Amino acid sequence: MSIDRGQNRDLLPIAVRDRSFIWGKRTYLMGILNVTPDSFSDGGLFHHPESAIAQARYLVKAGADILDIGGESTRPGAAEISPEEELNRVVPVIEAIRRELSVPISVDTTKAAIASASVAAGADIINDISGATFDSQMLPTVAELGVPIVLMHMRGTPKTMQTMTDYQDLIGEIYQFLQARVEAAIASGIDKSCIILDPGIGFAKTYDQNLEILRRLSEFRSLDCPILIGVSRKSFIGRILNQTDPQGRVWGTAGACAGAIASGADILRVHDLPEMRDVSLVADAIFRGCD
């Protein structure tokens, strides 16, 4: 059976600053920059603006196409922080990066007010793990801002999500959720070409469910939106490798990223840029026929 892995999809490109994202041409890399004290893999490493900016420079030099800045941990069990605290974490970093670098910046938030302030500070994309369900103003705000949005599937909140993994039809239910969120976004005035979808690896998903999503990722292609996948250093990789330290899961992440590219992922959200850049170059040559 022949599988269309992305090169023949008729998706309109997205222009962000001086970059054009031409879907199917190659895999794009979103570098993770958590300005939090408690993220599961790198919490506390880039909590201060100076270290965050240094990491941003490193990620861009290593090949990041987008920097994804998050001010609130979304690890399993994480508690919510106040909007004021999130704002104080992300806005100074976005402003400092934008003064120095032209790379597209996404902000990882579920709050419309944070999205608006971040774009005013220089961000270009909104990455909402709730699929814009936590804040009823998110979709209208993004429509007004005129920026792309990543809509992810999850259940519950980061604090409760791992108690909500009972699905009757895993892929079908994720598909229906994402389809409904695309329809809601369009109804709010967001152009479909500005919508990116993420099935939410690790968010209200078990070990087996994460693997099933990766095996069946191509089934989401009929939603006609670019697909973002975030597998970097996650616990299902740790289980396979018997590796409890997230920072020891680099090459396990590489295997998962190669599998995601083979199934048609358009964007990979990753911590380890140099390694995953090499993975994507080789996987693109194999599965997309890129030189």
Side-chain angles (χ1 to χ4, degrees), residues 1-10 218 221 262-264 287:
M1 180 177 66
S2 176
I3 298 175
D4 172 15
R5 294 187 173 89
Q7 56 269 48
N8 298 317
R9 281 188 301 167
D10 188 22
S218 62
R221 307 182 64 69
S263 292
F287 299 110

Side-chain angles (χ1 to χ4, degrees), residues 72 80 86 108-112 127-130 134-135 138:
E72 181 175 29
E80 188 176 356
E86 186 177 355
D108 184 352
T109 187
T110 61
K111 303 177 183 72
N127 183 10
D128 188 333
I129 63 163
S130 77
F134 286 2
D135 187 336
M138 180 62 89

Side-chain angles (χ1 to χ4, degrees), residues 5-260:
R5 294 187 173 89
Q7 56 269 48
N8 298 317
R9 281 188 301 167
D10 188 22
L11 299 182
L12 293 175
I14 296 177
V16 182
R17 294 195 178 267
D18 60 350
R19 315 287 176 96
S20 290
F21 293 83
I22 304 172
W23 310 116
K25 182 178 180 180
R26 68 176 180 89
T27 304
Y28 295 95
L29 298 177
M30 175 183 277
I32 299 169
L33 182 53
N34 289 319
V35 290
T36 60
D38 57 345
S39 292
F40 85 97
S41 174
D42 55 1
L45 293 179
F46 313 114
H47 186 36
H48 299 290
E50 296 79 9
S51 58
I53 295 162
Q55 180 68 2
R57 294 187 196 107
Y58 168 77
L59 292 171
V60 170
K61 186 176 181 180
D65 299 292
I66 305 167
L67 292 180
D68 190 48
I69 299 174
E72 181 175 29
S73 175
T74 56
R75 62 179 172 78
E80 188 176 356
I81 64 171
S82 70
E84 293 76 19
E85 178 65 19
E86 186 177 355
L87 198 68
N88 290 336
R89 290 177 183 180
V90 300
V91 166
V93 172
I94 293 171
E95 290 176 338
I97 293 171
R98 183 52 68 225
R99 284 194 294 268
E100 184 175 332
L101 302 170
S102 64
V103 64
I105 295 172
S106 67
V107 60
D108 184 352
T109 187
T110 61
K111 303 177 183 72
I114 305 300
S116 184
S118 296
V119 171
D124 309 285
I125 301 167
I126 307 305
N127 183 10
D128 188 333
I129 63 163
S130 77
T133 62
F134 286 2
D135 187 336
S136 63
Q137 293 305 304
M138 180 62 89
L139 293 178
T141 296
V142 170
E144 184 176 348
L145 293 170
V147 298
I149 185 169
V150 180
L151 298 171
M152 195 190 82
H153 172 272
M154 71 176 299
R155 286 175 164 180
T157 67
K159 192 170 184 178
T160 65
M161 62 188 178
Q162 290 311 110
T163 66
M164 306 180 72
T165 59
D166 185 20
Y167 299 84
Q168 297 302 310
D169 174 10
L170 175 69
I171 302 301
E173 290 174 45
I174 297 171
Y175 189 103
Q176 289 173 6
F177 174 90
L178 293 175
Q179 184 176 48
R181 300 318 296 158
V182 169
E183 291 170 357
I186 292 171
S188 294
I190 299 172
D191 192 278
K192 190 172 183 182
S193 67
C194 289
I195 301 171
I196 300 164
L197 300 178
D198 180 350
I201 296 289
F203 288 81
K205 316 293 192 304
T206 66
Y207 168 82
D208 290 324
Q209 290 164 351
N210 289 324
L211 295 180
E212 183 177 356
I213 291 168
L214 289 171
R215 292 187 190 109
R216 300 176 61 185
L217 189 61
S218 62
E219 295 181 37
F220 297 105
R221 307 182 64 69
S222 59
L223 289 167
D224 294 325
C225 292
I227 298 172
L228 184 151
I229 288 292
V231 295
S232 189
R233 302 180 180 178
K234 288 190 174 176
S235 61
F236 80 96
I237 296 171
R239 175 170 166 179
I240 295 169
L241 302 178
N242 192 27
Q243 174 56 265
T244 59
D245 179 3
Q247 296 191 43
R249 300 170 185 167
V250 176
W251 298 113
T253 295
C257 284

